mmCIF file with all atom_site columns, all heavy atoms in Angstrom:
data_model
loop_
_atom_site.group_PDB
_atom_site.id
_atom_site.type_symbol
_atom_site.label_atom_id
_atom_site.label_alt_id
_atom_site.label_comp_id
_atom_site.label_asym_id
_atom_site.label_entity_id
_atom_site.label_seq_id
_atom_site.pdbx_PDB_ins_code
_atom_site.Cartn_x
_atom_site.Cartn_y
_atom_site.Cartn_z
_atom_site.occupancy
_atom_site.B_iso_or_equiv
_atom_site.pdbx_formal_charge
_atom_site.auth_seq_id
_atom_site.auth_comp_id
_atom_site.auth_asym_id
_atom_site.auth_atom_id
_atom_site.pdbx_PDB_model_num
ATOM   1   N  N   . ILE A 1 10 ? 102.868 69.881 142.585 1.00 0.00 ? 1496 ILE A N   1
ATOM   2   C  CA  . ILE A 1 10 ? 102.711 68.796 143.547 1.00 0.00 ? 1496 ILE A CA  1
ATOM   3   C  C   . ILE A 1 10 ? 101.240 68.586 143.858 1.00 0.00 ? 1496 ILE A C   1
ATOM   4   O  O   . ILE A 1 10 ? 100.653 69.266 144.688 1.00 0.00 ? 1496 ILE A O   1
ATOM   5   C  CB  . ILE A 1 10 ? 103.472 69.085 144.865 1.00 0.00 ? 1496 ILE A CB  1
ATOM   6   C  CG1 . ILE A 1 10 ? 104.932 69.456 144.603 1.00 0.00 ? 1496 ILE A CG1 1
ATOM   7   C  CG2 . ILE A 1 10 ? 103.397 67.848 145.806 1.00 0.00 ? 1496 ILE A CG2 1
ATOM   8   C  CD1 . ILE A 1 10 ? 105.730 69.804 145.855 1.00 0.00 ? 1496 ILE A CD1 1
ATOM   9   N  N   . LYS A 1 11 ? 100.605 67.628 143.168 1.00 0.00 ? 1497 LYS A N   1
ATOM   10  C  CA  . LYS A 1 11 ? 99.231  67.272 143.450 1.00 0.00 ? 1497 LYS A CA  1
ATOM   11  C  C   . LYS A 1 11 ? 99.248  66.289 144.634 1.00 0.00 ? 1497 LYS A C   1
ATOM   12  O  O   . LYS A 1 11 ? 100.099 65.413 144.723 1.00 0.00 ? 1497 LYS A O   1
ATOM   13  C  CB  . LYS A 1 11 ? 98.581  66.595 142.257 1.00 0.00 ? 1497 LYS A CB  1
ATOM   14  C  CG  . LYS A 1 11 ? 98.418  67.522 141.084 1.00 0.00 ? 1497 LYS A CG  1
ATOM   15  C  CD  . LYS A 1 11 ? 97.653  66.852 139.985 1.00 0.00 ? 1497 LYS A CD  1
ATOM   16  C  CE  . LYS A 1 11 ? 96.182  66.894 140.326 1.00 0.00 ? 1497 LYS A CE  1
ATOM   17  N  NZ  . LYS A 1 11 ? 95.342  66.524 139.156 1.00 0.00 ? 1497 LYS A NZ  1
ATOM   18  N  N   . CYS A 1 12 ? 98.286  66.460 145.548 1.00 0.00 ? 1498 CYS A N   1
ATOM   19  C  CA  . CYS A 1 12 ? 98.249  65.542 146.714 1.00 0.00 ? 1498 CYS A CA  1
ATOM   20  C  C   . CYS A 1 12 ? 96.827  65.631 147.303 1.00 0.00 ? 1498 CYS A C   1
ATOM   21  O  O   . CYS A 1 12 ? 96.252  66.684 147.412 1.00 0.00 ? 1498 CYS A O   1
ATOM   22  C  CB  . CYS A 1 12 ? 99.249  66.005 147.746 1.00 0.00 ? 1498 CYS A CB  1
ATOM   23  S  SG  . CYS A 1 12 ? 99.222  64.982 149.255 1.00 0.00 ? 1498 CYS A SG  1
ATOM   24  N  N   . ASP A 1 13 ? 96.304  64.463 147.655 1.00 0.00 ? 1499 ASP A N   1
ATOM   25  C  CA  . ASP A 1 13 ? 94.966  64.449 148.268 1.00 0.00 ? 1499 ASP A CA  1
ATOM   26  C  C   . ASP A 1 13 ? 94.986  63.934 149.702 1.00 0.00 ? 1499 ASP A C   1
ATOM   27  O  O   . ASP A 1 13 ? 93.980  63.458 150.192 1.00 0.00 ? 1499 ASP A O   1
ATOM   28  C  CB  . ASP A 1 13 ? 93.966  63.669 147.403 1.00 0.00 ? 1499 ASP A CB  1
ATOM   29  C  CG  . ASP A 1 13 ? 94.364  62.229 147.177 1.00 0.00 ? 1499 ASP A CG  1
ATOM   30  O  OD1 . ASP A 1 13 ? 95.379  61.816 147.739 1.00 0.00 ? 1499 ASP A OD1 1
ATOM   31  O  OD2 . ASP A 1 13 ? 93.671  61.542 146.425 1.00 0.00 ? 1499 ASP A OD2 1
ATOM   32  N  N   . VAL A 1 14 ? 96.127  64.085 150.358 1.00 0.00 ? 1500 VAL A N   1
ATOM   33  C  CA  . VAL A 1 14 ? 96.222  63.662 151.738 1.00 0.00 ? 1500 VAL A CA  1
ATOM   34  C  C   . VAL A 1 14 ? 95.697  64.826 152.615 1.00 0.00 ? 1500 VAL A C   1
ATOM   35  O  O   . VAL A 1 14 ? 96.496  65.677 153.065 1.00 0.00 ? 1500 VAL A O   1
ATOM   36  C  CB  . VAL A 1 14 ? 97.647  63.273 152.118 1.00 0.00 ? 1500 VAL A CB  1
ATOM   37  C  CG1 . VAL A 1 14 ? 97.718  62.795 153.558 1.00 0.00 ? 1500 VAL A CG1 1
ATOM   38  C  CG2 . VAL A 1 14 ? 98.173  62.200 151.183 1.00 0.00 ? 1500 VAL A CG2 1
ATOM   39  N  N   . CYS A 1 17 ? 97.130  66.015 156.092 1.00 0.00 ? 1503 CYS A N   1
ATOM   40  C  CA  . CYS A 1 17 ? 98.426  66.727 156.209 1.00 0.00 ? 1503 CYS A CA  1
ATOM   41  C  C   . CYS A 1 17 ? 98.213  68.218 156.327 1.00 0.00 ? 1503 CYS A C   1
ATOM   42  O  O   . CYS A 1 17 ? 97.419  68.806 155.563 1.00 0.00 ? 1503 CYS A O   1
ATOM   43  C  CB  . CYS A 1 17 ? 99.315  66.387 154.997 1.00 0.00 ? 1503 CYS A CB  1
ATOM   44  S  SG  . CYS A 1 17 ? 100.909 67.227 155.030 1.00 0.00 ? 1503 CYS A SG  1
ATOM   45  N  N   . ARG A 1 18 ? 98.975  68.862 157.178 1.00 0.00 ? 1504 ARG A N   1
ATOM   46  C  CA  . ARG A 1 18 ? 98.771  70.320 157.363 1.00 0.00 ? 1504 ARG A CA  1
ATOM   47  C  C   . ARG A 1 18 ? 99.274  71.108 156.182 1.00 0.00 ? 1504 ARG A C   1
ATOM   48  O  O   . ARG A 1 18 ? 98.930  72.274 156.052 1.00 0.00 ? 1504 ARG A O   1
ATOM   49  C  CB  . ARG A 1 18 ? 99.441  70.777 158.654 1.00 0.00 ? 1504 ARG A CB  1
ATOM   50  C  CG  . ARG A 1 18 ? 100.925 71.003 158.572 1.00 0.00 ? 1504 ARG A CG  1
ATOM   51  C  CD  . ARG A 1 18 ? 101.431 71.870 159.704 1.00 0.00 ? 1504 ARG A CD  1
ATOM   52  N  NE  . ARG A 1 18 ? 101.083 71.323 161.006 1.00 0.00 ? 1504 ARG A NE  1
ATOM   53  C  CZ  . ARG A 1 18 ? 101.759 71.559 162.124 1.00 0.00 ? 1504 ARG A CZ  1
ATOM   54  N  NH1 . ARG A 1 18 ? 102.816 72.345 162.080 1.00 0.00 ? 1504 ARG A NH1 1
ATOM   55  N  NH2 . ARG A 1 18 ? 101.393 71.050 163.257 1.00 0.00 ? 1504 ARG A NH2 1
ATOM   56  N  N   . HIS A 1 19 ? 100.063 70.532 155.310 1.00 0.00 ? 1505 HIS A N   1
ATOM   57  C  CA  . HIS A 1 19 ? 100.543 71.229 154.130 1.00 0.00 ? 1505 HIS A CA  1
ATOM   58  C  C   . HIS A 1 19 ? 99.606  71.100 152.948 1.00 0.00 ? 1505 HIS A C   1
ATOM   59  O  O   . HIS A 1 19 ? 99.840  71.671 151.894 1.00 0.00 ? 1505 HIS A O   1
ATOM   60  C  CB  . HIS A 1 19 ? 101.938 70.682 153.719 1.00 0.00 ? 1505 HIS A CB  1
ATOM   61  C  CG  . HIS A 1 19 ? 102.950 70.831 154.756 1.00 0.00 ? 1505 HIS A CG  1
ATOM   62  N  ND1 . HIS A 1 19 ? 103.272 72.028 155.344 1.00 0.00 ? 1505 HIS A ND1 1
ATOM   63  C  CD2 . HIS A 1 19 ? 103.771 69.904 155.380 1.00 0.00 ? 1505 HIS A CD2 1
ATOM   64  C  CE1 . HIS A 1 19 ? 104.212 71.841 156.280 1.00 0.00 ? 1505 HIS A CE1 1
ATOM   65  N  NE2 . HIS A 1 19 ? 104.530 70.567 156.280 1.00 0.00 ? 1505 HIS A NE2 1
ATOM   66  N  N   . ASN A 1 20 ? 98.507  70.373 153.097 1.00 0.00 ? 1506 ASN A N   1
ATOM   67  C  CA  . ASN A 1 20 ? 97.598  70.126 151.969 1.00 0.00 ? 1506 ASN A CA  1
ATOM   68  C  C   . ASN A 1 20 ? 96.558  71.232 151.852 1.00 0.00 ? 1506 ASN A C   1
ATOM   69  O  O   . ASN A 1 20 ? 95.985  71.673 152.851 1.00 0.00 ? 1506 ASN A O   1
ATOM   70  C  CB  . ASN A 1 20 ? 96.893  68.767 152.220 1.00 0.00 ? 1506 ASN A CB  1
ATOM   71  C  CG  . ASN A 1 20 ? 96.158  68.312 150.979 1.00 0.00 ? 1506 ASN A CG  1
ATOM   72  O  OD1 . ASN A 1 20 ? 94.961  68.570 150.818 1.00 0.00 ? 1506 ASN A OD1 1
ATOM   73  N  ND2 . ASN A 1 20 ? 96.858  67.646 150.110 1.00 0.00 ? 1506 ASN A ND2 1
ATOM   74  N  N   . LEU A 1 21 ? 96.324  71.677 150.613 1.00 0.00 ? 1507 LEU A N   1
ATOM   75  C  CA  . LEU A 1 21 ? 95.232  72.629 150.349 1.00 0.00 ? 1507 LEU A CA  1
ATOM   76  C  C   . LEU A 1 21 ? 94.032  71.766 150.032 1.00 0.00 ? 1507 LEU A C   1
ATOM   77  O  O   . LEU A 1 21 ? 93.795  71.398 148.895 1.00 0.00 ? 1507 LEU A O   1
ATOM   78  C  CB  . LEU A 1 21 ? 95.571  73.509 149.151 1.00 0.00 ? 1507 LEU A CB  1
ATOM   79  C  CG  . LEU A 1 21 ? 96.740  74.476 149.338 1.00 0.00 ? 1507 LEU A CG  1
ATOM   80  C  CD1 . LEU A 1 21 ? 96.999  75.221 148.058 1.00 0.00 ? 1507 LEU A CD1 1
ATOM   81  C  CD2 . LEU A 1 21 ? 96.468  75.450 150.476 1.00 0.00 ? 1507 LEU A CD2 1
ATOM   82  N  N   . TYR A 1 26 ? 96.152  69.985 146.349 1.00 0.00 ? 1512 TYR A N   1
ATOM   83  C  CA  . TYR A 1 26 ? 97.539  70.295 146.056 1.00 0.00 ? 1512 TYR A CA  1
ATOM   84  C  C   . TYR A 1 26 ? 98.301  70.496 147.322 1.00 0.00 ? 1512 TYR A C   1
ATOM   85  O  O   . TYR A 1 26 ? 97.742  70.810 148.386 1.00 0.00 ? 1512 TYR A O   1
ATOM   86  C  CB  . TYR A 1 26 ? 97.646  71.565 145.207 1.00 0.00 ? 1512 TYR A CB  1
ATOM   87  C  CG  . TYR A 1 26 ? 97.362  71.379 143.743 1.00 0.00 ? 1512 TYR A CG  1
ATOM   88  C  CD1 . TYR A 1 26 ? 96.078  71.490 143.249 1.00 0.00 ? 1512 TYR A CD1 1
ATOM   89  C  CD2 . TYR A 1 26 ? 98.376  71.052 142.850 1.00 0.00 ? 1512 TYR A CD2 1
ATOM   90  C  CE1 . TYR A 1 26 ? 95.802  71.296 141.906 1.00 0.00 ? 1512 TYR A CE1 1
ATOM   91  C  CE2 . TYR A 1 26 ? 98.134  70.864 141.512 1.00 0.00 ? 1512 TYR A CE2 1
ATOM   92  C  CZ  . TYR A 1 26 ? 96.847  70.997 141.047 1.00 0.00 ? 1512 TYR A CZ  1
ATOM   93  O  OH  . TYR A 1 26 ? 96.605  70.806 139.718 1.00 0.00 ? 1512 TYR A OH  1
ATOM   94  N  N   . CYS A 1 27 ? 99.610  70.305 147.210 1.00 0.00 ? 1513 CYS A N   1
ATOM   95  C  CA  . CYS A 1 27 ? 100.521 70.611 148.331 1.00 0.00 ? 1513 CYS A CA  1
ATOM   96  C  C   . CYS A 1 27 ? 100.881 72.095 148.290 1.00 0.00 ? 1513 CYS A C   1
ATOM   97  O  O   . CYS A 1 27 ? 100.874 72.695 147.247 1.00 0.00 ? 1513 CYS A O   1
ATOM   98  C  CB  . CYS A 1 27 ? 101.792 69.743 148.187 1.00 0.00 ? 1513 CYS A CB  1
ATOM   99  S  SG  . CYS A 1 27 ? 102.947 69.969 149.549 1.00 0.00 ? 1513 CYS A SG  1
ATOM   100 N  N   . SER A 1 28 ? 101.177 72.631 149.454 1.00 0.00 ? 1514 SER A N   1
ATOM   101 C  CA  . SER A 1 28 ? 101.513 74.060 149.520 1.00 0.00 ? 1514 SER A CA  1
ATOM   102 C  C   . SER A 1 28 ? 103.006 74.300 149.720 1.00 0.00 ? 1514 SER A C   1
ATOM   103 O  O   . SER A 1 28 ? 103.459 75.454 149.710 1.00 0.00 ? 1514 SER A O   1
ATOM   104 C  CB  . SER A 1 28 ? 100.760 74.718 150.704 1.00 0.00 ? 1514 SER A CB  1
ATOM   105 O  OG  . SER A 1 28 ? 101.161 74.118 151.916 1.00 0.00 ? 1514 SER A OG  1
ATOM   106 N  N   . LEU A 1 29 ? 103.764 73.238 149.863 1.00 0.00 ? 1515 LEU A N   1
ATOM   107 C  CA  . LEU A 1 29 ? 105.233 73.411 150.035 1.00 0.00 ? 1515 LEU A CA  1
ATOM   108 C  C   . LEU A 1 29 ? 105.910 73.667 148.706 1.00 0.00 ? 1515 LEU A C   1
ATOM   109 O  O   . LEU A 1 29 ? 105.432 73.283 147.624 1.00 0.00 ? 1515 LEU A O   1
ATOM   110 C  CB  . LEU A 1 29 ? 105.821 72.129 150.640 1.00 0.00 ? 1515 LEU A CB  1
ATOM   111 C  CG  . LEU A 1 29 ? 105.343 71.783 152.053 1.00 0.00 ? 1515 LEU A CG  1
ATOM   112 C  CD1 . LEU A 1 29 ? 106.007 70.499 152.505 1.00 0.00 ? 1515 LEU A CD1 1
ATOM   113 C  CD2 . LEU A 1 29 ? 105.654 72.899 153.037 1.00 0.00 ? 1515 LEU A CD2 1
ATOM   114 N  N   . ILE A 1 32 ? 109.074 68.918 148.404 1.00 0.00 ? 1518 ILE A N   1
ATOM   115 C  CA  . ILE A 1 32 ? 108.814 67.845 149.359 1.00 0.00 ? 1518 ILE A CA  1
ATOM   116 C  C   . ILE A 1 32 ? 109.907 66.795 149.288 1.00 0.00 ? 1518 ILE A C   1
ATOM   117 O  O   . ILE A 1 32 ? 110.646 66.736 148.309 1.00 0.00 ? 1518 ILE A O   1
ATOM   118 C  CB  . ILE A 1 32 ? 107.425 67.188 149.142 1.00 0.00 ? 1518 ILE A CB  1
ATOM   119 C  CG1 . ILE A 1 32 ? 107.356 66.532 147.772 1.00 0.00 ? 1518 ILE A CG1 1
ATOM   120 C  CG2 . ILE A 1 32 ? 106.306 68.158 149.378 1.00 0.00 ? 1518 ILE A CG2 1
ATOM   121 C  CD1 . ILE A 1 32 ? 106.171 65.604 147.590 1.00 0.00 ? 1518 ILE A CD1 1
ATOM   122 N  N   . SER A 1 33 ? 109.919 65.988 150.310 1.00 0.00 ? 1519 SER A N   1
ATOM   123 C  CA  . SER A 1 33 ? 110.893 64.894 150.342 1.00 0.00 ? 1519 SER A CA  1
ATOM   124 C  C   . SER A 1 33 ? 110.150 63.583 150.287 1.00 0.00 ? 1519 SER A C   1
ATOM   125 O  O   . SER A 1 33 ? 109.238 63.320 151.075 1.00 0.00 ? 1519 SER A O   1
ATOM   126 C  CB  . SER A 1 33 ? 111.696 64.950 151.651 1.00 0.00 ? 1519 SER A CB  1
ATOM   127 O  OG  . SER A 1 33 ? 112.515 63.851 151.790 1.00 0.00 ? 1519 SER A OG  1
ATOM   128 N  N   . CYS A 1 49 ? 105.537 60.228 151.546 1.00 0.00 ? 1535 CYS A N   1
ATOM   129 C  CA  . CYS A 1 49 ? 105.947 61.602 151.601 1.00 0.00 ? 1535 CYS A CA  1
ATOM   130 C  C   . CYS A 1 49 ? 106.506 61.858 152.968 1.00 0.00 ? 1535 CYS A C   1
ATOM   131 O  O   . CYS A 1 49 ? 105.809 61.826 153.990 1.00 0.00 ? 1535 CYS A O   1
ATOM   132 C  CB  . CYS A 1 49 ? 104.734 62.522 151.364 1.00 0.00 ? 1535 CYS A CB  1
ATOM   133 S  SG  . CYS A 1 49 ? 105.216 64.240 151.534 1.00 0.00 ? 1535 CYS A SG  1
ATOM   134 N  N   . ASN A 1 50 ? 107.807 62.141 153.015 1.00 0.00 ? 1536 ASN A N   1
ATOM   135 C  CA  . ASN A 1 50 ? 108.443 62.377 154.315 1.00 0.00 ? 1536 ASN A CA  1
ATOM   136 C  C   . ASN A 1 50 ? 108.282 63.803 154.811 1.00 0.00 ? 1536 ASN A C   1
ATOM   137 O  O   . ASN A 1 50 ? 108.749 64.121 155.890 1.00 0.00 ? 1536 ASN A O   1
ATOM   138 C  CB  . ASN A 1 50 ? 109.949 62.021 154.207 1.00 0.00 ? 1536 ASN A CB  1
ATOM   139 C  CG  . ASN A 1 50 ? 110.135 60.513 154.092 1.00 0.00 ? 1536 ASN A CG  1
ATOM   140 O  OD1 . ASN A 1 50 ? 109.347 59.738 154.613 1.00 0.00 ? 1536 ASN A OD1 1
ATOM   141 N  ND2 . ASN A 1 50 ? 111.197 60.134 153.411 1.00 0.00 ? 1536 ASN A ND2 1
ATOM   142 N  N   . SER A 1 51 ? 107.592 64.629 154.023 1.00 0.00 ? 1537 SER A N   1
ATOM   143 C  CA  . SER A 1 51 ? 107.292 65.976 154.478 1.00 0.00 ? 1537 SER A CA  1
ATOM   144 C  C   . SER A 1 51 ? 105.944 66.079 155.153 1.00 0.00 ? 1537 SER A C   1
ATOM   145 O  O   . SER A 1 51 ? 105.542 67.147 155.606 1.00 0.00 ? 1537 SER A O   1
ATOM   146 C  CB  . SER A 1 51 ? 107.304 66.928 153.246 1.00 0.00 ? 1537 SER A CB  1
ATOM   147 O  OG  . SER A 1 51 ? 108.562 66.891 152.625 1.00 0.00 ? 1537 SER A OG  1
ATOM   148 N  N   . PHE A 1 52 ? 105.226 64.962 155.222 1.00 0.00 ? 1538 PHE A N   1
ATOM   149 C  CA  . PHE A 1 52 ? 103.926 64.913 155.889 1.00 0.00 ? 1538 PHE A CA  1
ATOM   150 C  C   . PHE A 1 52 ? 104.005 65.353 157.347 1.00 0.00 ? 1538 PHE A C   1
ATOM   151 O  O   . PHE A 1 52 ? 104.889 64.897 158.086 1.00 0.00 ? 1538 PHE A O   1
ATOM   152 C  CB  . PHE A 1 52 ? 103.350 63.485 155.818 1.00 0.00 ? 1538 PHE A CB  1
ATOM   153 C  CG  . PHE A 1 52 ? 102.091 63.266 156.606 1.00 0.00 ? 1538 PHE A CG  1
ATOM   154 C  CD1 . PHE A 1 52 ? 100.861 63.500 155.992 1.00 0.00 ? 1538 PHE A CD1 1
ATOM   155 C  CD2 . PHE A 1 52 ? 102.115 62.890 157.930 1.00 0.00 ? 1538 PHE A CD2 1
ATOM   156 C  CE1 . PHE A 1 52 ? 99.677  63.314 156.716 1.00 0.00 ? 1538 PHE A CE1 1
ATOM   157 C  CE2 . PHE A 1 52 ? 100.981 62.713 158.648 1.00 0.00 ? 1538 PHE A CE2 1
ATOM   158 C  CZ  . PHE A 1 52 ? 99.739  62.914 158.055 1.00 0.00 ? 1538 PHE A CZ  1
ATOM   159 N  N   . VAL A 1 53 ? 103.086 66.234 157.741 1.00 0.00 ? 1539 VAL A N   1
ATOM   160 C  CA  . VAL A 1 53 ? 102.933 66.603 159.114 1.00 0.00 ? 1539 VAL A CA  1
ATOM   161 C  C   . VAL A 1 53 ? 101.452 66.573 159.401 1.00 0.00 ? 1539 VAL A C   1
ATOM   162 O  O   . VAL A 1 53 ? 100.637 67.190 158.668 1.00 0.00 ? 1539 VAL A O   1
ATOM   163 C  CB  . VAL A 1 53 ? 103.445 68.051 159.395 1.00 0.00 ? 1539 VAL A CB  1
ATOM   164 C  CG1 . VAL A 1 53 ? 103.231 68.423 160.870 1.00 0.00 ? 1539 VAL A CG1 1
ATOM   165 C  CG2 . VAL A 1 53 ? 104.952 68.132 159.045 1.00 0.00 ? 1539 VAL A CG2 1
HETATM 166 S  S1  . SF4 B 2 .  ? 103.731 67.410 152.507 1.00 0.00 ? 2966 SF4 B S1  1
HETATM 167 FE FE1 . SF4 B 2 .  ? 103.393 65.527 151.359 1.00 0.00 ? 2966 SF4 B FE1 1
HETATM 168 S  S2  . SF4 B 2 .  ? 101.523 64.628 152.244 1.00 0.00 ? 2966 SF4 B S2  1
HETATM 169 FE FE2 . SF4 B 2 .  ? 101.637 66.765 152.852 1.00 0.00 ? 2966 SF4 B FE2 1
HETATM 170 S  S3  . SF4 B 2 .  ? 100.387 67.876 151.328 1.00 0.00 ? 2966 SF4 B S3  1
HETATM 171 FE FE3 . SF4 B 2 .  ? 102.535 67.961 150.681 1.00 0.00 ? 2966 SF4 B FE3 1
HETATM 172 S  S4  . SF4 B 2 .  ? 102.771 66.200 149.319 1.00 0.00 ? 2966 SF4 B S4  1
HETATM 173 FE FE4 . SF4 B 2 .  ? 100.917 65.852 150.476 1.00 0.00 ? 2966 SF4 B FE4 1
#
Side-chain angles (χ1 to χ4, degrees):
I1496 308 177
K1497 294 187 79 168
C1498 178
D1499 59 4
V1500 183
C1503 178
R1504 80 161 56 155
H1505 301 305
N1506 192 267
L1507 293 178
Y1512 280 89
C1513 183
S1514 61
L1515 296 179
I1518 62 167
S1519 173
C1535 176
N1536 289 331
S1537 301
F1538 173 89
V1539 178

